[in-house]
Amino acid sequence: MATKLPRITGHVQPKTKAQLSEISRTTGRPIGQILDVAIENLSVDRKDWVAQQAGYQTMLAVALLMALARKQLGNDQFAQVRDLAAQAALYVFGRLGERPFDIPVGLPMDERLATIFMAFLADDDR
């Protein structure tokens, strides 16, 4: 069957050729498709991991600060700080758009997450 896809030719080790043939046989995929996937996986933008790590570290810092603020501030002061933080986030990042994904219903609640969420609530909201 004729194809308009570009052709690539190169030399590889016999072991590599054998492994590629075995992967092709066991997955039922053509060698070209396996190479496409391998190259795509090697080209992954690592910025996603960095963004996830930044979010993780931010969540840790926020949880710690919230725990400290709850101990030091009264309910009114805590509510004012929370409102100020929401205004700052809106100013810096803009209004959040609609979430492009759904959160599966029925996920088990981790007690650690529940503790963090409770730190964000004022006493009146509990």
Side-chain angles (χ1 to χ4, degrees):
M1 177 152 83
T3 179
K4 293 183 179 181
L5 295 174
R7 183 173 189 82
I8 297 176
T9 304
H11 298 283
V12 295
Q13 296 294 321
K15 181 180 175 183
T16 303
K17 171 64 170 117
Q19 288 174 322
L20 188 55
S21 296
E22 178 64 16
I23 293 169
S24 177
R25 186 185 67 73
T26 57
T27 63
R29 292 179 167 181
I31 289 175
Q33 188 178 32
I34 294 166
L35 291 174
D36 284 341
V37 170
I39 291 169
E40 284 175 22
N41 288 340
L42 287 173
S43 304
V44 170
D45 185 0
R46 304 298 185 226
K47 291 178 185 174
D48 286 345
W49 182 88
V50 172
Q52 185 180 11
Q53 182 66 8
Y56 174 81
Q57 295 296 333
T58 300
M59 191 65 192
L60 289 177
V62 166
L64 177 62
L65 287 173
M66 292 299 293
L68 292 171
R70 300 270 310 135
K71 288 183 176 183
Q72 297 296 321
L73 302 175
N75 283 340
D76 291 340
Q77 291 173 315
F78 185 76
Q80 286 176 336
V81 170
R82 192 173 56 180
D83 290 343
L84 181 63
Q87 290 172 7
L90 181 62
Y91 180 75
V92 172
F93 299 108
R95 201 170 286 288
L96 279 178
E98 198 171 311
R99 186 175 39 223
F101 57 87
D102 291 328
I103 296 175
V105 178
L107 289 176
M109 177 54 87
D110 186 320
E111 289 180 22
R112 297 168 293 184
L113 286 176
T115 302
I116 292 171
F117 294 145
M118 291 303 289
F120 283 95
L121 297 176
D123 286 337
D124 299 344
D125 297 333
R126 293 179 189 203

